[in-house]
Amino acid sequence: MDSLASTPGRPNLILQAPLSGVCVDLSDVPDPVFAQRMVGDGIAIDPTEPLLRAPCAGRITQLHRAHHALTLTHAEGVEVLMHIGLDTVALGGEGFEPLVDEGDEVAVGDPLLRFEPGLLARRARSLICLIVLPQGQSIAAPRAGRVRGGEALCEVRPARPPTRPAEEGGIIWSGIVRVPNPMGLHARPAAALAQQAKALGGGARLRRGRTEVSAESIVGVMSLDVRCGDSVEIGGEDASMVMALAEAIASGLGELEAGGEDVMESLTAEPSLMRRVQSLSGALPGVVASPGLAVGPAYRFKPQRFDIADQGQGVEWELDKLHRALARSRKSLRALIDKLKAGGSQTRAEILIAHETLLEDTALSAEAERQIHQGRSAAAAWHESTTQQAESLARSDNLLLAARAADLRDVRDRVLRRMFGRRAPIKAIPPGSILIAEDIAPSILSALRPGQILGLATTQGGATSHAAIIARGLGLPALCGLPEALLAVHDGETLILDAQRGVVTISPDEATLEALNTRQEAQQCARVAAFNAREGAAITLDGARIWVEANIGAVEEAEEAVRQGAEGVGLMRSEFLYLNQTHAPSEAEQTAQYRAVAQALGATRPLTVRTLDVGGDKPLPYLPLPHEENPALGLRGIRVGLTRPALLRQQVRAILQGVGAGARLMFPMIARVEELRAARALVEEEAASLGVEGVEIGVMIEIPSAAINAAKLARYADFFSIGTNDLSQYTLAIDRGHPQLAAWADGLDPAVLRLIEMTLEGARQRDRRVGVCGGLASDLEAVPLLIGLGVDHLSASLAAVAEIKALVRSLSRARCRALAARALQAESAEDVRALIRAEPSEVSP
Ligand code: PEP
Ligand code: MG
């Protein structure tokens, strides 16, 4: 029976044990914040079961976004904070399954939260469950030793009345303070702030945006969901108290190591040396999202700001406002989709169809409706629910999911524009400019007229974002992951956006501009001449025959490969056929697709199909793979096929039947000889059972171990195809999609070149052919080196095929060999590129 002793004569509220386990005195908890009762008095349980239940009846008033903590408020106002484990906030929700939502009423003993003890034991500092009273009450008659869930745990003694009543009006605000705590204001710093605020006794307030709470309430502070780097303000009637608390927040509330802030500041003030190495030339390095070259005036694109009132004007009115804005947004989006489809812009239309689905997502609107019912305005509720969702997507380890955060923000702003009667910000973009931004919404890019902007440069985003895909579709040069310095550029300042070399030059001098003009004109002429000569063979000046093939990812691209003069397909990324599919394709469906590609290529152009390369940054919606700490080093590529042989077998059968005799299959991410032997045996079995002859089996060389063991792999492989994208990633230990680091994962790094040389040496021992299908094969600067190293098959992106053929015809292999020998001795990719650029024209592009 629950009851509360705040009224004389009433018995104390009894808390039941929310789970079974061993009771621990709070002073013995290995965390000073809890042990010193900064959060409040309470008791801890070392749990022996993974289910947390309500210790008393009440309402769930706070569920932490990381789901490791929640607050239950008893009908008479006692707050009970339950916090599972120590440092579990860092798990970001992993290992926790909330069974209730904020606002739910629960009876004593109702299940609240389930957790995975195994995962917590491995990843958190402790599993201990803390039951704390943050409002100043204390516990009495605490249980000791073993306790079973549902048994009496302790009594709650009322708090002393607050020392000072809160006062209205006359509040002094501190101005913006940035929160430096890596995990934001979670339980520990929130407790420290609340404790200091109480000690100073001035009724301090804390606000983030328009939401304001008492700084003396740990639950209130936690409910603001303040993250690292967020701006907050502290307020109160006493200026010295405001200053003291503002300083405490700015210095990390004791969470950063002693003197941490100063030390960190002095340690982080100096600009990154990695950046500096790249910036010696005065250019900013970025990741190529869409290749090309552009020169023009900068235009800083700023996200739209909306002045959102938090308080609603009545539930019915606000609900109606939300629903009308959603309906009108859907209508305008549909009109835009139809227009794009009619104009043949299928990819852009599909991206907006994904936005349409987000708009129809009832989870988003239901959350907004819930907040409206709590008194918030439609705009505030919609903004909050979509922003929270976008932030949790952005934190995802999965790059593809993280990239969807921009889509969600985009949808959010579309609806807000409807509510505020605003026009799309695109109208303000001066034609002919290079757009610079932190990030750019896919719908903004989709709505641009062809040629409206010359290029795009962003500090965020990755090469896999929808914005990058749209930019590539528009043929718009784009770089992402550029340094923050980009945002200091003024509107109208001239930029060179070099999305071939991956750099932006700000305010170039006349000589640079002139050289660039010449380069652009020469490139344009060369492109036209190359396209006209696309059908001829690619033979070097000294008679070496180089086969130039294409990389494709869709059936329709096979026809384009033929149109571009490709001599076959050196890499069909088969997973691209299924990345957006929610059901597994049948063997017959797959067979039909491979047959269509083979037929489009005709009898004389070979087709090389790579078996599914999923996992890592390429999730397959119909094939759920477990979450991994290190996806790039986990279940990816052939490892998925070998752990799910039925999946690989089905695909192999489809390829063999679709392509027929002479089919070429290759396996991604082979790291060990055993993997190749197992995969090869599977193909041989299926080829024998289907009676398909002349099948060739290849290995993608994209992991250093494969290059080092090339001679051994060559026993079981008919050919090698070097995936320089992954080979660079794994050799240099740089995530190829990393916004800050990817620019350094350059395949021309001498270490990568050395592995390519080793692959060729290994292949030569068994006379196996070696091709390159990674990004280097489409890189005009890299091709002379690859040929010099001995590569004679290049599989390039569709747009590069004709130019690569033309380039080969201008090269002398003997000179390329000499260049390769020098490149192998160079110290860096930059030096290698400098060597190439210094070559006379028959070697240098
Ligand atoms: C590579 O890694 O170079 C490659 C061609 O494969 P993907 O880019 O598809 O991983
Ligand atoms: Mg690869």
PDB file of all heavy atoms in Angstrom, residues 435-465:
ATOM      1  N   LEU A 435      27.357  26.966 -53.617  1.00  0.00           N
ATOM      2  CA  LEU A 435      26.635  26.972 -52.353  1.00  0.00           C
ATOM      3  C   LEU A 435      27.537  26.428 -51.251  1.00  0.00           C
ATOM      4  O   LEU A 435      28.103  25.340 -51.398  1.00  0.00           O
ATOM      5  CB  LEU A 435      25.430  26.056 -52.527  1.00  0.00           C
ATOM      6  CG  LEU A 435      24.139  26.451 -51.858  1.00  0.00           C
ATOM      7  CD1 LEU A 435      23.718  27.838 -52.324  1.00  0.00           C
ATOM      8  CD2 LEU A 435      23.051  25.443 -52.215  1.00  0.00           C
ATOM      9  N   ILE A 436      27.678  27.183 -50.157  1.00  0.00           N
ATOM     10  CA  ILE A 436      28.402  26.626 -49.017  1.00  0.00           C
ATOM     11  C   ILE A 436      27.457  26.538 -47.822  1.00  0.00           C
ATOM     12  O   ILE A 436      26.601  27.402 -47.642  1.00  0.00           O
ATOM     13  CB  ILE A 436      29.684  27.411 -48.658  1.00  0.00           C
ATOM     14  CG1 ILE A 436      29.363  28.858 -48.337  1.00  0.00           C
ATOM     15  CG2 ILE A 436      30.703  27.340 -49.755  1.00  0.00           C
ATOM     16  CD1 ILE A 436      30.579  29.619 -47.865  1.00  0.00           C
ATOM     17  N   ALA A 437      27.585  25.478 -47.062  1.00  0.00           N
ATOM     18  CA  ALA A 437      26.642  25.256 -45.973  1.00  0.00           C
ATOM     19  C   ALA A 437      27.233  24.243 -45.022  1.00  0.00           C
ATOM     20  O   ALA A 437      28.197  23.551 -45.359  1.00  0.00           O
ATOM     21  CB  ALA A 437      25.333  24.704 -46.526  1.00  0.00           C
ATOM     22  N   GLU A 438      26.634  24.161 -43.825  1.00  0.00           N
ATOM     23  CA  GLU A 438      27.032  23.070 -42.934  1.00  0.00           C
ATOM     24  C   GLU A 438      26.566  21.765 -43.544  1.00  0.00           C
ATOM     25  O   GLU A 438      27.287  20.805 -43.687  1.00  0.00           O
ATOM     26  CB  GLU A 438      26.390  23.260 -41.561  1.00  0.00           C
ATOM     27  CG  GLU A 438      27.099  24.318 -40.767  1.00  0.00           C
ATOM     28  CD  GLU A 438      26.398  24.618 -39.460  1.00  0.00           C
ATOM     29  OE1 GLU A 438      25.808  23.721 -38.874  1.00  0.00           O
ATOM     30  OE2 GLU A 438      26.460  25.786 -39.044  1.00  0.00           O
ATOM     31  N   ASP A 439      25.310  21.762 -43.937  1.00  0.00           N
ATOM     32  CA  ASP A 439      24.737  20.582 -44.590  1.00  0.00           C
ATOM     33  C   ASP A 439      23.622  21.108 -45.465  1.00  0.00           C
ATOM     34  O   ASP A 439      23.143  22.218 -45.246  1.00  0.00           O
ATOM     35  CB  ASP A 439      24.179  19.622 -43.527  1.00  0.00           C
ATOM     36  CG  ASP A 439      24.157  18.195 -44.046  1.00  0.00           C
ATOM     37  OD1 ASP A 439      24.497  17.996 -45.229  1.00  0.00           O
ATOM     38  OD2 ASP A 439      23.792  17.290 -43.271  1.00  0.00           O
ATOM     39  N   ILE A 440      23.200  20.326 -46.412  1.00  0.00           N
ATOM     40  CA  ILE A 440      22.159  20.828 -47.298  1.00  0.00           C
ATOM     41  C   ILE A 440      21.044  19.799 -47.379  1.00  0.00           C
ATOM     42  O   ILE A 440      21.312  18.602 -47.469  1.00  0.00           O
ATOM     43  CB  ILE A 440      22.743  21.178 -48.687  1.00  0.00           C
ATOM     44  CG1 ILE A 440      21.753  21.948 -49.534  1.00  0.00           C
ATOM     45  CG2 ILE A 440      23.209  19.969 -49.434  1.00  0.00           C
ATOM     46  CD1 ILE A 440      21.932  23.422 -49.418  1.00  0.00           C
ATOM     47  N   ALA A 441      19.824  20.288 -47.333  1.00  0.00           N
ATOM     48  CA  ALA A 441      18.697  19.361 -47.347  1.00  0.00           C
ATOM     49  C   ALA A 441      18.503  18.792 -48.750  1.00  0.00           C
ATOM     50  O   ALA A 441      18.612  19.527 -49.735  1.00  0.00           O
ATOM     51  CB  ALA A 441      17.447  20.095 -46.913  1.00  0.00           C
ATOM     52  N   PRO A 442      18.207  17.497 -48.844  1.00  0.00           N
ATOM     53  CA  PRO A 442      17.998  16.898 -50.168  1.00  0.00           C
ATOM     54  C   PRO A 442      16.916  17.616 -50.964  1.00  0.00           C
ATOM     55  O   PRO A 442      17.046  17.786 -52.171  1.00  0.00           O
ATOM     56  CB  PRO A 442      17.560  15.470 -49.842  1.00  0.00           C
ATOM     57  CG  PRO A 442      18.037  15.210 -48.467  1.00  0.00           C
ATOM     58  CD  PRO A 442      18.091  16.520 -47.761  1.00  0.00           C
ATOM     59  N   SER A 443      15.848  18.072 -50.281  1.00  0.00           N
ATOM     60  CA  SER A 443      14.752  18.692 -51.049  1.00  0.00           C
ATOM     61  C   SER A 443      15.194  20.016 -51.652  1.00  0.00           C
ATOM     62  O   SER A 443      14.711  20.422 -52.695  1.00  0.00           O
ATOM     63  CB  SER A 443      13.537  18.911 -50.158  1.00  0.00           C
ATOM     64  OG  SER A 443      13.822  19.923 -49.238  1.00  0.00           O
ATOM     65  N   ILE A 444      16.136  20.705 -50.991  1.00  0.00           N
ATOM     66  CA  ILE A 444      16.624  21.973 -51.541  1.00  0.00           C
ATOM     67  C   ILE A 444      17.335  21.676 -52.859  1.00  0.00           C
ATOM     68  O   ILE A 444      17.112  22.319 -53.874  1.00  0.00           O
ATOM     69  CB  ILE A 444      17.615  22.647 -50.567  1.00  0.00           C
ATOM     70  CG1 ILE A 444      16.998  22.801 -49.193  1.00  0.00           C
ATOM     71  CG2 ILE A 444      18.157  23.945 -51.129  1.00  0.00           C
ATOM     72  CD1 ILE A 444      16.241  24.028 -48.925  1.00  0.00           C
ATOM     73  N   LEU A 445      18.201  20.665 -52.817  1.00  0.00           N
ATOM     74  CA  LEU A 445      18.936  20.322 -54.041  1.00  0.00           C
ATOM     75  C   LEU A 445      17.982  19.839 -55.130  1.00  0.00           C
ATOM     76  O   LEU A 445      18.136  20.186 -56.298  1.00  0.00           O
ATOM     77  CB  LEU A 445      19.952  19.215 -53.747  1.00  0.00           C
ATOM     78  CG  LEU A 445      21.268  19.652 -53.134  1.00  0.00           C
ATOM     79  CD1 LEU A 445      22.216  18.482 -53.071  1.00  0.00           C
ATOM     80  CD2 LEU A 445      21.899  20.770 -53.934  1.00  0.00           C
ATOM     81  N   SER A 446      16.979  19.038 -54.728  1.00  0.00           N
ATOM     82  CA  SER A 446      16.052  18.503 -55.730  1.00  0.00           C
ATOM     83  C   SER A 446      15.279  19.609 -56.412  1.00  0.00           C
ATOM     84  O   SER A 446      14.903  19.496 -57.561  1.00  0.00           O
ATOM     85  CB  SER A 446      15.006  17.598 -55.083  1.00  0.00           C
ATOM     86  OG  SER A 446      15.622  16.586 -54.439  1.00  0.00           O
ATOM     87  N   ALA A 447      15.025  20.667 -55.662  1.00  0.00           N
ATOM     88  CA  ALA A 447      14.182  21.723 -56.219  1.00  0.00           C
ATOM     89  C   ALA A 447      14.984  22.713 -57.069  1.00  0.00           C
ATOM     90  O   ALA A 447      14.405  23.597 -57.694  1.00  0.00           O
ATOM     91  CB  ALA A 447      13.485  22.446 -55.081  1.00  0.00           C
ATOM     92  N   LEU A 448      16.313  22.573 -57.099  1.00  0.00           N
ATOM     93  CA  LEU A 448      17.121  23.524 -57.875  1.00  0.00           C
ATOM     94  C   LEU A 448      16.876  23.327 -59.364  1.00  0.00           C
ATOM     95  O   LEU A 448      16.704  22.195 -59.833  1.00  0.00           O
ATOM     96  CB  LEU A 448      18.612  23.286 -57.607  1.00  0.00           C
ATOM     97  CG  LEU A 448      19.137  23.711 -56.245  1.00  0.00           C
ATOM     98  CD1 LEU A 448      20.565  23.222 -56.060  1.00  0.00           C
ATOM     99  CD2 LEU A 448      19.092  25.225 -56.129  1.00  0.00           C
ATOM    100  N   ARG A 449      16.895  24.433 -60.082  1.00  0.00           N
ATOM    101  CA  ARG A 449      16.798  24.294 -61.543  1.00  0.00           C
ATOM    102  C   ARG A 449      18.152  23.838 -62.052  1.00  0.00           C
ATOM    103  O   ARG A 449      19.182  24.222 -61.481  1.00  0.00           O
ATOM    104  CB  ARG A 449      16.454  25.644 -62.186  1.00  0.00           C
ATOM    105  CG  ARG A 449      15.063  26.143 -61.848  1.00  0.00           C
ATOM    106  CD  ARG A 449      14.774  27.425 -62.602  1.00  0.00           C
ATOM    107  NE  ARG A 449      15.810  28.442 -62.428  1.00  0.00           N
ATOM    108  CZ  ARG A 449      15.940  29.217 -61.362  1.00  0.00           C
ATOM    109  NH1 ARG A 449      15.096  29.087 -60.357  1.00  0.00           N
ATOM    110  NH2 ARG A 449      16.897  30.115 -61.276  1.00  0.00           N
ATOM    111  N   PRO A 450      18.180  23.039 -63.160  1.00  0.00           N
ATOM    112  CA  PRO A 450      19.489  22.629 -63.679  1.00  0.00           C
ATOM    113  C   PRO A 450      20.334  23.866 -63.955  1.00  0.00           C
ATOM    114  O   PRO A 450      19.854  24.832 -64.541  1.00  0.00           O
ATOM    115  CB  PRO A 450      19.135  21.880 -64.975  1.00  0.00           C
ATOM    116  CG  PRO A 450      17.690  21.513 -64.844  1.00  0.00           C
ATOM    117  CD  PRO A 450      17.055  22.505 -63.928  1.00  0.00           C
ATOM    118  N   GLY A 451      21.553  23.847 -63.497  1.00  0.00           N
ATOM    119  CA  GLY A 451      22.454  24.974 -63.750  1.00  0.00           C
ATOM    120  C   GLY A 451      22.276  26.138 -62.788  1.00  0.00           C
ATOM    121  O   GLY A 451      22.979  27.141 -62.884  1.00  0.00           O
ATOM    122  N   GLN A 452      21.324  26.055 -61.838  1.00  0.00           N
ATOM    123  CA  GLN A 452      21.108  27.199 -60.927  1.00  0.00           C
ATOM    124  C   GLN A 452      22.341  27.457 -60.052  1.00  0.00           C
ATOM    125  O   GLN A 452      22.690  28.594 -59.785  1.00  0.00           O
ATOM    126  CB  GLN A 452      19.890  26.964 -60.044  1.00  0.00           C
ATOM    127  CG  GLN A 452      19.536  28.199 -59.218  1.00  0.00           C
ATOM    128  CD  GLN A 452      18.287  27.998 -58.369  1.00  0.00           C
ATOM    129  OE1 GLN A 452      17.568  27.031 -58.527  1.00  0.00           O
ATOM    130  NE2 GLN A 452      18.028  28.923 -57.467  1.00  0.00           N
ATOM    131  N   ILE A 453      22.985  26.385 -59.598  1.00  0.00           N
ATOM    132  CA  ILE A 453      24.241  26.594 -58.870  1.00  0.00           C
ATOM    133  C   ILE A 453      25.348  25.824 -59.584  1.00  0.00           C
ATOM    134  O   ILE A 453      25.079  24.891 -60.343  1.00  0.00           O
ATOM    135  CB  ILE A 453      24.148  26.154 -57.393  1.00  0.00           C
ATOM    136  CG1 ILE A 453      23.815  24.670 -57.265  1.00  0.00           C
ATOM    137  CG2 ILE A 453      23.159  26.991 -56.624  1.00  0.00           C
ATOM    138  CD1 ILE A 453      23.996  24.133 -55.864  1.00  0.00           C
ATOM    139  N   LEU A 454      26.589  26.267 -59.306  1.00  0.00           N
ATOM    140  CA  LEU A 454      27.723  25.644 -60.013  1.00  0.00           C
ATOM    141  C   LEU A 454      28.320  24.495 -59.220  1.00  0.00           C
ATOM    142  O   LEU A 454      28.955  23.608 -59.780  1.00  0.00           O
ATOM    143  CB  LEU A 454      28.820  26.692 -60.242  1.00  0.00           C
ATOM    144  CG  LEU A 454      28.429  27.896 -61.077  1.00  0.00           C
ATOM    145  CD1 LEU A 454      29.580  28.884 -61.143  1.00  0.00           C
ATOM    146  CD2 LEU A 454      28.052  27.438 -62.484  1.00  0.00           C
ATOM    147  N   GLY A 455      28.157  24.541 -57.910  1.00  0.00           N
ATOM    148  CA  GLY A 455      28.759  23.494 -57.093  1.00  0.00           C
ATOM    149  C   GLY A 455      28.292  23.614 -55.658  1.00  0.00           C
ATOM    150  O   GLY A 455      27.592  24.568 -55.290  1.00  0.00           O
ATOM    151  N   LEU A 456      28.720  22.644 -54.875  1.00  0.00           N
ATOM    152  CA  LEU A 456      28.247  22.566 -53.503  1.00  0.00           C
ATOM    153  C   LEU A 456      29.410  22.179 -52.584  1.00  0.00           C
ATOM    154  O   LEU A 456      30.171  21.258 -52.891  1.00  0.00           O
ATOM    155  CB  LEU A 456      27.157  21.482 -53.442  1.00  0.00           C
ATOM    156  CG  LEU A 456      26.627  21.104 -52.089  1.00  0.00           C
ATOM    157  CD1 LEU A 456      25.850  22.272 -51.497  1.00  0.00           C
ATOM    158  CD2 LEU A 456      25.707  19.900 -52.208  1.00  0.00           C
ATOM    159  N   ALA A 457      29.561  22.905 -51.469  1.00  0.00           N
ATOM    160  CA  ALA A 457      30.624  22.590 -50.507  1.00  0.00           C
ATOM    161  C   ALA A 457      30.029  22.603 -49.113  1.00  0.00           C
ATOM    162  O   ALA A 457      29.423  23.599 -48.708  1.00  0.00           O
ATOM    163  CB  ALA A 457      31.735  23.637 -50.608  1.00  0.00           C
ATOM    164  N   THR A 458      30.159  21.490 -48.378  1.00  0.00           N
ATOM    165  CA  THR A 458      29.573  21.440 -47.032  1.00  0.00           C
ATOM    166  C   THR A 458      30.600  20.958 -46.006  1.00  0.00           C
ATOM    167  O   THR A 458      31.551  20.254 -46.346  1.00  0.00           O
ATOM    168  CB  THR A 458      28.361  20.478 -46.976  1.00  0.00           C
ATOM    169  OG1 THR A 458      28.799  19.164 -47.272  1.00  0.00           O
ATOM    170  CG2 THR A 458      27.269  20.875 -47.931  1.00  0.00           C
ATOM    171  N   THR A 459      30.371  21.371 -44.761  1.00  0.00           N
ATOM    172  CA  THR A 459      31.291  20.921 -43.709  1.00  0.00           C
ATOM    173  C   THR A 459      30.844  19.575 -43.140  1.00  0.00           C
ATOM    174  O   THR A 459      31.611  18.887 -42.515  1.00  0.00           O
ATOM    175  CB  THR A 459      31.349  21.932 -42.547  1.00  0.00           C
ATOM    176  OG1 THR A 459      30.025  22.157 -42.079  1.00  0.00           O
ATOM    177  CG2 THR A 459      31.969  23.227 -42.974  1.00  0.00           C
ATOM    178  N   GLN A 460      29.559  19.253 -43.331  1.00  0.00           N
ATOM    179  CA  GLN A 460      29.078  17.966 -42.819  1.00  0.00           C
ATOM    180  C   GLN A 460      28.711  17.062 -43.980  1.00  0.00           C
ATOM    181  O   GLN A 460      28.980  17.365 -45.124  1.00  0.00           O
ATOM    182  CB  GLN A 460      27.853  18.188 -41.939  1.00  0.00           C
ATOM    183  CG  GLN A 460      28.182  18.979 -40.703  1.00  0.00           C
ATOM    184  CD  GLN A 460      26.929  19.283 -39.897  1.00  0.00           C
ATOM    185  OE1 GLN A 460      25.880  18.718 -40.102  1.00  0.00           O
ATOM    186  NE2 GLN A 460      27.067  20.205 -38.979  1.00  0.00           N
ATOM    187  N   GLY A 461      28.039  15.974 -43.656  1.00  0.00           N
ATOM    188  CA  GLY A 461      27.562  15.072 -44.710  1.00  0.00           C
ATOM    189  C   GLY A 461      28.650  14.126 -45.144  1.00  0.00           C
ATOM    190  O   GLY A 461      29.827  14.319 -44.851  1.00  0.00           O
ATOM    191  N   GLY A 462      28.229  13.075 -45.805  1.00  0.00           N
ATOM    192  CA  GLY A 462      29.198  12.095 -46.289  1.00  0.00           C
ATOM    193  C   GLY A 462      28.911  11.784 -47.734  1.00  0.00           C
ATOM    194  O   GLY A 462      27.914  12.248 -48.295  1.00  0.00           O
ATOM    195  N   ALA A 463      29.792  10.985 -48.326  1.00  0.00           N
ATOM    196  CA  ALA A 463      29.630  10.661 -49.735  1.00  0.00           C
ATOM    197  C   ALA A 463      28.404   9.792 -49.970  1.00  0.00           C
ATOM    198  O   ALA A 463      27.984   9.603 -51.105  1.00  0.00           O
ATOM    199  CB  ALA A 463      30.889   9.968 -50.235  1.00  0.00           C
ATOM    200  N   THR A 464      27.811   9.236 -48.877  1.00  0.00           N
ATOM    201  CA  THR A 464      26.640   8.378 -49.078  1.00  0.00           C
ATOM    202  C   THR A 464      25.327   9.117 -48.822  1.00  0.00           C
ATOM    203  O   THR A 464      24.276   8.516 -48.864  1.00  0.00           O
ATOM    204  CB  THR A 464      26.689   7.175 -48.113  1.00  0.00           C
ATOM    205  OG1 THR A 464      26.828   7.683 -46.796  1.00  0.00           O
ATOM    206  CG2 THR A 464      27.799   6.230 -48.441  1.00  0.00           C
ATOM    207  N   SER A 465      25.389  10.418 -48.517  1.00  0.00           N
ATOM    208  CA  SER A 465      24.147  11.131 -48.184  1.00  0.00           C
ATOM    209  C   SER A 465      23.282  11.279 -49.425  1.00  0.00           C
ATOM    210  O   SER A 465      23.763  11.224 -50.557  1.00  0.00           O
ATOM    211  CB  SER A 465      24.477  12.506 -47.618  1.00  0.00           C
ATOM    212  OG  SER A 465      25.031  13.291 -48.652  1.00  0.00           O
TER     213      SER A 465
END
